[in-house]
Amino acid sequence: MAKNLTRRGFVHGGLGLGLGSMGLASLPIGTRLRAQTVELPLVITSHANATGREAMRQSWEILAGGGSALDAVERGANVIEVDPEDFSVGMAGLPNEHGVVQLDASIMDGRTYSAGSVASLEKIVTPSSVARLVMERTDHVMLVGPGALDFAKSFGFEEVELLTPEAREIWLRWREHHSDQDDWGPPDHLRGRAEGLDRDAARDAGPLGLDLTGSIEHHYGTTNVLAVDASGDVAGITTTSGLSWKVNGRVGDSPIIGAGLYVDNSVGAAGATGRGEDVIKSCASHYIVMRMREGRSPQEACEDAIEMIVGRYRAVGLDFVPEEKFVAINKAGEYGCAWMGIDGVPSMTVRTPASLDVFEGTSLYGPA
Ligand code: ASP
């Protein structure tokens, strides 16, 4: 399937791939939803594609057998991390500016108020499991870069090449397109620049058949997996390859506790995807959980975070709407999601005792 990479946007379980929604009909931007209530246990992922469904199926096996929310979210996150067709997480994640895949992940166990994370981790396909070991086998919360890799190897994790041929092809095309001043791409005499033609015109589809014509901008994409088990304990994971083509060493929000993920066993959990810089500045996941603590539903709390972020920019005279998606669950079995600055409607896969379904949340502040 041709995958068009010509616009900045989210990577949902394989560029351009995804199941049709089986949830609510699409709602216009600004529509507010009532809270969704279900029986426990509950597990959700922000991935609403086939891999997200498989992740929820496997997480559910654990929860239905009386297992913990912590084990369930790890299993679900691992399913998405190893998917070689998903360009946003783990294996096949889109790389940084140098073509190196650097992964970020975090985990929280509400039952013990514990957290762990890794950042800029290379060559390990399941960073969320490494984050779990940081949480459970050290007195620290966060390990980064070569230290995180050493730590993972000491526990027997194998180093693998995470940059798949497809992801490399996409990165190479980005490198050729990211400036009209540099020397990447076909020689000038073959691409028509000497004749004053559009430099891009001489660049065609890559050998793998991807539709890579046009410019290739940065892409967001991450997964959040959140669960409440039958005992009422809450856990969550956020895992990502981060912003594509990021500056070498850049760390996003996903491994920052309170930004890309937060869990409070007496309330629920929240996770974020999208422009990490804004999620870090706003401590968005912590904010969402605190809003739920004050009585807001997960859906309302996700929307509150959007209003808070947009409001902060407006307070300093800026009309800026970052592309971000939030998902949240609470201990009562309610869930919600919302995004801003993005076309369409945000969705997530939800597994409850009643069903495995795709839920569509609300879209606020659509793209300009
Ligand atoms: N939030 C992630 C980051 O900023 C990106 C993403 O969701 O793709 O690293």
Side-chain angles (χ1 to χ4, degrees):
M1 178 177 189
K3 294 159 186 170
N4 193 320
L5 288 169
T6 57
R7 63 175 286 278
R8 179 187 292 266
F10 274 57
V11 179
H12 292 296
L15 294 160
L17 300 179
L19 290 183
S21 167
M22 290 161 287
L24 301 173
S26 296
L27 297 167
I29 288 169
T31 304
R32 305 300 169 115
L33 295 179
R34 284 180 299 116
Q36 308 296 310
T37 307
V38 297
E39 300 295 315
L40 296 178
L42 163 70
V43 60
I44 68 101
T45 174
S46 55
H47 261 53
N49 64 350
T51 309
R53 287 177 72 79
E54 175 59 18
M56 293 300 88
R57 193 188 67 70
Q58 294 198 29
S59 292
W60 187 256
E61 276 180 10
I62 292 173
L63 292 172
S68 69
L70 186 66
D71 288 342
V73 295
E74 184 184 17
R75 172 80 68 83
N78 286 169
V79 168
I80 297 168
E81 288 169 331
V82 303
D83 178 3
E85 302 208 329
D86 190 309
F87 293 115
S88 66
V89 177
M91 176 61 74
L94 293 177
N96 68 12
E97 62 181 352
H98 297 322
V100 177
V101 181
Q102 293 184 325
L103 304 178
D104 296 339
S106 59
I107 188 167
M108 274 194 89
D109 183 3
R111 187 179 40 182
T112 57
Y113 187 49
S114 300
S117 73
V118 290
S120 292
L121 176 62
E122 299 176 11
K123 299 185 177 139
I124 303 294
V125 71
T126 52
S128 63
S129 293
V130 183
R132 180 171 177 170
L133 283 168
V134 173
M135 175 175 76
E136 293 183 335
R137 309 309 304 172
T138 78
D139 188 36
H140 308 312
V141 167
M142 187 174 205
L143 296 180
V144 303
L149 177 59
D150 285 348
F151 174 83
K153 284 161 59 181
S154 77
F155 280 91
F157 286 80
E158 286 183 13
E159 291 181 83
V160 294
E161 177 54 69
L162 300 174
L163 188 67
T164 60
E166 265 197 335
R168 181 188 300 279
E169 178 75 14
I170 296 165
W171 168 68
L172 288 171
R173 289 299 157 138
W174 168 78
R175 192 172 68 177
E176 290 189 4
H177 281 272
H178 83 301
S179 165
D180 61 1
Q181 301 299 320
D182 65 28
D183 294 320
W184 293 109
D188 283 357
H189 67 285
L190 295 182
R191 65 187 172 206
R193 190 164 67 177
E195 292 84 43
L197 300 177
D198 179 0
R199 173 185 168 103
D200 289 346
R203 296 170 168 152
D204 54 12
L208 295 175
L210 302 177
D211 176 6
L212 299 176
T213 52
S215 64
I216 297 178
E217 297 195 38
H218 295 80
H219 285 266
Y220 299 117
T222 294
T223 203
N224 316 113
V225 185
L226 311 175
V228 189
D229 61 31
S231 305
D233 290 319
V234 187
I237 281 175
T238 294
T239 179
T240 189
S241 52
L243 181 66
S244 67
W245 338 131
K246 59 194 173 187
V247 172
N248 185 30
R250 176 264 191 189
V251 173
D253 59 307
S254 304
I256 310 289
I257 301 299
L261 175 72
Y262 199 71
V263 173
D264 181 329
N265 217 45
S266 64
V267 179
T273 312
R275 188 181 139 83
E277 284 67 18
D278 280 287
V279 178
I280 293 172
K281 286 193 296 185
S282 61
C283 302
S285 293
H286 184 262
Y287 179 81
I288 291 167
V289 173
M290 291 306 107
R291 292 297 286 163
M292 292 194 292
R293 176 183 280 283
E294 291 164 5
R296 301 286 277 170
S297 71
Q299 185 62 45
E300 291 168 336
C302 289
E303 294 169 6
D304 290 346
I306 287 174
E307 298 291 359
M308 177 265 289
I309 291 166
V310 171
R312 285 189 176 166
Y313 278 111
R314 289 190 173 166
V316 294
L318 297 171
D319 188 18
F320 180 61
V321 178
E323 295 178 6
E324 274 159 23
K325 175 182 175 183
F326 301 119
V327 298
I329 63 174
N330 67 15
K331 283 176 74 77
E334 297 175 330
Y335 50 88
C337 73
W339 73 17
M340 63 176 149
I342 305 164
D343 279 326
V345 179
S347 55
M348 63 183 189
T349 310
V350 179
R351 183 64 165 100
T352 69
S355 65
L356 171 63
D357 211 346
V358 172
F359 170 77
E360 290 188 343
T362 51
S363 176
L364 309 181
Y365 302 102

